[in-house]
Amino acid sequence: MEFDSVRAIDNIDLVLPQGQFVCLLGPSGCGKTTLLRMIAGLNTPTSGEIIFDGEPLTDVPSHERNFGMVFQSLALFPHLTIAENIGYPLRIRGFSKRKIAARVDELLELVHMPGVGNRQISQLSGGQRQRIAIARALAIDPKLFLLDEPLSALDAKLREAMQIELKELQRKLGVTTIVVTHDQREAMTMADHVVIMKDGQIFQQGPPLEVYKKPNTAFVADFIGSTNLMPCRILSSDTVETYGTEVKVAHLAASLKPNDQAALSVRPEDLSLIPKEDAPESMRAKITFSVDLGTHTELQLDHGGQDIMVTIPPQRQQVFAQGEIWGLQIADNACAAVSL
Amino acid sequence: MRSGVALKRSVLRKSGKLIPLYPTFFLVVFFLVPFTVMLAVSFFHRVEGAFFEPAFEFDNYLRFFDPFYLGILQFSILLSMAAAVLATAIAFPFTYMITRMSRKAQVVALVLLLAVLSLSEVIIGFSWSTLLSRTSGISNLFVSLGLLEKPTSYYPSLSAVLIGLVYLSVPYAVLVLYPPLSRLDPELPEAARMMGASPMRTFFTIVIPLLRRPIMSTLILVFVFTLGAYTLPQTLGKPSSWTLSVHITDQAIFQANLPFAAAMAIFLLVVTLAMIAVTSMLDKTKSEGDTK
């Protein structure tokens, strides 16, 4: 797929598992929506093939694919009532009025909005519109359920509730689902399988926790969760050297060989603070910001010009004051060495 | 310093009050005054062989209520309605397809369209009369294609008038339809496609209903616009397909009967306004029914 000779999607090879909840995750402009639209048939790939259930899909027009899709703008039809919106795909397929009405009621029940069929779209709140758009996309029991940034218009609290609801709905129906999102928390909450994209290419894919624990590149490590990237040198298949100290790592990106220059991805929870006398000179840092959130304490430190984030569990009644100098200790067998 | 600011403010406030004066001035000078003059003239008495003299009589209006002129009024309204429906039916899919093209292509298409707007009614009339003529018209093309035995003339005729009026109004219809159509969220028709609707079905069940209002405005615009056309019916039509506007011109210029021309013009205006009012009222009650 090319836009004005810019490749939006470049040489992607992706096999998506049946019945799973897949998230296409990446920063804006990474090509994730283009990829979703190609699967939907709304964009045509300039080269390559899309195969669904063993059948080539590339030449099937979108209205013959029998997929359900929730658009970013939701695309509910303002000139139709809620029931007419949900019943639209059934009316197109020539179902009887009675059958449509029964299915619409069933779907409204499914999205926890029974009895609103006669209302207008304009009478609904953002979260309710969301549910109607989901119900409409599921009306025909689609072979594939596609969602393009479906929750981006909702406020944070409602978004979290909808993520869980969407996930439960998908589990209940068992429909293969592909969601496009730029929100890594959303992907972690919902997905069985995440596909991390950047610049039209796939950087890494797998179960969310695996990608979180075993990132292969600095981009993936930083994009999924927050992390501190420290320059390091590979010593062996499980040891790296950073700032003059040796650290045992839990994961080493496959492409890295001994003596390679790489980055050590240290999650804020894998760092702890020790009295500065116990740490070598190169591992001392000054606290620049500290906030106690109750569940944990978040610290920001200046480590030779680099900002370092540290999360401290609440069990210690220790006060970390701004301006103090502490030693940084990296937990062994927790971090990942990633390629730059 | 302070008083300076205050002075500036009061000037600004005063100039704010001046703003409505500008449109008022233009409306009075270029609409209200001429319209009042016309209204007055429509009650004047025509002097045979001369011009007219001030009076207050309803003769001009009463003269209109005769089967001949009422028939012309009916014909004019039906002709304009047909032109409005045809022009909108042609312009709507055309504009929809333009808005689905790339930005660059859209600009080219709109520039070409504006170029057509620069043609006057007279040029359009004479071009079509040539094109529909026996000696050098399209019938010669049909003959060379073997579709016709010998060239014929397609004008003057009612169809020729209608063709001319539609040709004249399509660019205006496109200009009215372009902004709302380009604002239409492309995800709406895409959503219909994803739900199994073919492009045709999407167009008729989603695009057209969503743009009911702009379509109504276009119909009204073309209707009013073609109701006022008098060159095209005159150049392309037989006297039997002359519209009320042609007769108004005829009375005003050739028969020198300005009072009667003015009365007909006012009558046409009232009928037009009444029809627009009824149409928009019907549209309003329908959309109110929608929100219930």
Side-chain angles (χ1 to χ4, degrees), chain A residues 21-170:
Chain A
F21 200 121
V22 179
C23 271
L24 303 181
L25 179 63
S28 57
C30 72
K32 55 192 191 299
T33 294
T34 309
L35 181 60
L36 189 81
R37 288 174 60 88
M38 290 198 304
I39 295 169
L42 298 169
N43 287 352
T44 319
T46 29
S47 64
E49 234 184 328
I50 301 170
I51 294 169
F52 182 78
D53 251 357
E55 302 281 327
L57 206 58
T58 323
D59 294 326
V60 181
S62 28
H63 63 276
E64 285 168 17
R65 293 195 181 188
N66 289 318
F67 292 170
M69 182 157 173
V70 175
F71 287 81
Q72 189 167 12
S73 71
L74 302 183
L76 293 170
F77 304 136
H79 64 294
L80 300 178
T81 63
I82 291 171
E84 285 166 342
N85 261 284
I86 298 177
Y88 184 83
L90 307 169
R91 201 180 91 204
I92 292 293
R93 285 168 177 77
F95 282 53
S96 73
K97 277 205 168 125
R98 212 164 43 88
K99 256 191 168 164
I100 294 177
R103 178 72 178 139
V104 167
D105 285 344
E106 199 180 302
L107 286 157
L108 284 173
E109 199 77 51
L110 184 73
V111 295
H112 310 298
M113 285 185 67
V116 297
N118 291 327
R119 286 204 224 152
Q120 291 294 321
I121 299 300
S122 55
Q123 290 169 285
L124 299 180
S125 70
Q128 289 173 319
R129 284 177 202 208
Q130 191 68 59
R131 287 156 197 259
I132 299 305
I134 290 169
R136 189 177 71 171
L138 290 171
I140 55 156
D141 280 324
K143 293 198 275 180
L144 194 57
F145 186 29
L146 308 170
L147 302 98
D148 183 9
E149 305 252 3
L151 309 176
S152 58
L154 305 180
D155 61 71
K157 209 159 191 173
L158 194 54
R159 192 157 63 223
E160 274 170 36
M162 282 303 294
Q163 286 164 7
I164 294 167
E165 203 172 309
L166 202 55
K167 175 73 197 166
E168 282 175 342
L169 194 64
Q170 189 270 337

